[in-house]
Amino acid sequence: HVVDQAVFVDDARFLALVLELGLEHLGESVIGLGFDIDGTDGKYPAGICESASIHDTVCDMLLSHYPASTVERIVGANVTDFLKGVL
């Protein structure tokens, strides 16, 4: 697969910026990230393919900047709480 490393770096920076703004203005109990690479055209960020988890890669990146409790909420608990509330 051909991977454009610059695009992945830009995407990671964009994710970090949006996440930081969300945390600042909304708080950690509101933000929930989803990871869906189904239906892609076969181009993945460096180090990521169908057999590797983008979820794990992003979690590792987030854990280097935020407490584990914040990351746990952002990548799972908030979505679970939301679904429990609406289902």
Side-chain angles (χ1 to χ4, degrees), residues 21-39:
L21 287 171
L23 289 170
E24 179 182 336
H25 294 285
L26 302 171
E28 69 180 48
S29 64
V30 176
I31 298 169
L33 298 179
F35 301 91
D36 183 5
I37 59 172
D38 294 341

Side-chain angles (χ1 to χ4, degrees), residues 4 9 18 20 23 26 37-38 53 55 62-63 69-70 75 81 83-84:
D4 185 341
V9 170
V18 171
E20 193 61 37
L23 289 170
L26 302 171
I37 59 172
D38 294 341
S53 171
H55 186 271
L62 294 175
L63 285 168
S69 59
T70 299
V75 299
D81 292 347
L83 292 174
K84 285 178 182 177

Side-chain angles (χ1 to χ4, degrees), residues 11-35 58-67 70-76 78:
D11 288 348
R13 287 183 186 145
F14 181 72
L15 173 62
L17 174 64
V18 171
L19 182 59
E20 193 61 37
L21 287 171
L23 289 170
E24 179 182 336
H25 294 285
L26 302 171
E28 69 180 48
S29 64
V30 176
I31 298 169
L33 298 179
F35 301 91
V58 172
C59 286
D60 289 344
M61 179 188 75
L62 294 175
L63 285 168
S64 69
H65 299 288
Y66 300 102
T70 299
V71 174
E72 182 179 320
R73 294 208 54 80
I74 292 169
V75 299
N78 289 341

